[in-house]
Amino acid sequence: GLGATGPAERARALQLARAGLAADRGNVHAYTVLGFCYLWHQMWDLARNCFEQALALNPYNPVRLNEAAAGMVCLGEFARARALLDMSLNLQQFPDDAFYEDSGRLRLLESDNERARIELESIAAGSIWADLYLAICELRLGRDSGRERFGRWRERVTRCWYKVPAPSEAEISDWIRRHHPWPGEAGELFFTDIESALRPPKMPSPHAATRARQ
């Protein structure tokens, strides 16, 4: 269920990823898996080394390029991430959902909200994160659909949460932060938008409504 992964599971994942790479140094995917495990533990230099090694071993695999681009986003290297995504796109006959999610997420962080919305709306089967990114895009653009989409996203989180009762605003915010180790101002702006969306809308006071009628 959503929210179930904690420090113990991430420590175990790192252990398994290291063992997997040690078992087959030629498995390029093992490098990217280990790279993300290092990201979750804030071991930035080790993560970078893994992604760079994956690119050196297989620079023409769109899936690996997308993974390395996602890693570069977490390392704050947006220009490098965009270059990798552009190369990935050139190697594919048709962009798939994973590409649109990775590219749309980067455009969202770059505050290119309309372009991000277009790419994220191109996804046929949205992941839990793709749907969140699209809702934030629409909220930033002032679209009426943004609040409704975010509400549906939150209902989905509640249905799939790993325990009852339903998660609080603070629990959802912490969960999102754990899965998005995004640096700098772009990351903080995203988290500010998340926390704003999680807060229930303010209801006008009865006195304000009376004054409005007068």
Side-chain angles (χ1 to χ4, degrees):
L2 301 179
T5 301
E9 290 79 13
R10 286 193 164 177
R12 177 64 172 153
L14 178 58
Q15 179 186 32
L16 291 170
R18 283 172 169 164
L21 179 59
D24 185 359
R25 291 280 178 176
N27 185 334
V28 181
H29 190 212
Y31 285 96
T32 57
V33 170
L34 181 56
F36 281 108
C37 286
Y38 281 139
L39 285 177
W40 305 145
H41 287 82
Q42 299 183 356
M43 299 177 180
W44 312 119
D45 290 339
L46 291 173
R48 184 191 308 279
N49 289 340
C50 285
F51 294 122
E52 294 291 1
Q53 187 63 38
L55 291 170
L57 289 172
N58 195 345
Y60 302 112
N61 183 314
V63 175
R64 300 291 87 82
L65 288 170
N66 290 351
E67 291 172 343
M72 293 301 167
V73 168
C74 295
L75 293 168
E77 297 190 15
F78 291 178
R80 181 81 184 285
R82 176 53 58 194
L84 292 171
L85 287 171
D86 288 345
M87 186 174 180
S88 169
L89 183 60
N90 289 331
L91 293 171
Q92 301 178 69
Q93 185 174 9
F94 300 103
D96 58 11
D97 285 353
F99 172 84
Y100 280 128
E101 180 171 338
D102 288 337
S103 184
R105 178 176 58 234
L106 177 55
R107 295 194 189 282
L108 177 64
L109 285 169
E110 294 171 328
S111 294
D112 188 357
N113 299 309
E114 179 59 23
R115 184 70 178 273
R117 182 192 66 79
I118 292 170
E119 293 194 351
L120 292 166
E121 279 197 335
S122 300
I123 295 174
S127 70
I128 192 72
W129 299 126
D131 290 347
L132 172 63
Y133 304 150
L134 181 54
I136 295 301
C137 279
E138 292 178 333
L139 288 170
R140 285 183 176 183
L141 292 167
R143 289 173 168 260
D144 293 338
S145 56
R147 176 59 62 179
E148 295 177 3
R149 190 182 300 277
F150 187 84
R152 292 195 301 272
W153 177 84
R154 186 166 179 179
E155 290 174 359
R156 180 180 175 187
V157 171
T158 297
R159 289 195 309 272
C160 299
W161 199 249
Y162 76 107
K163 65 178 182 179
V164 292
S168 66
E169 287 83 0
E171 286 176 310
I172 295 176
S173 179
D174 288 344
W175 169 64
I176 295 171
R177 283 181 177 271
R178 286 200 305 273
H179 286 272
H180 294 83
W182 289 345
E185 294 181 3
E188 285 307 311
L189 176 60
F190 173 77
F191 297 127
T192 297
D193 290 340
I194 290 293
E195 288 161 10
S196 175
L198 285 169
R199 287 193 294 269
K202 293 182 179 180
M203 301 297 292
S205 68
H207 298 296
T210 301
R211 287 195 298 270
R213 287 195 296 271
Q214 292 174 346

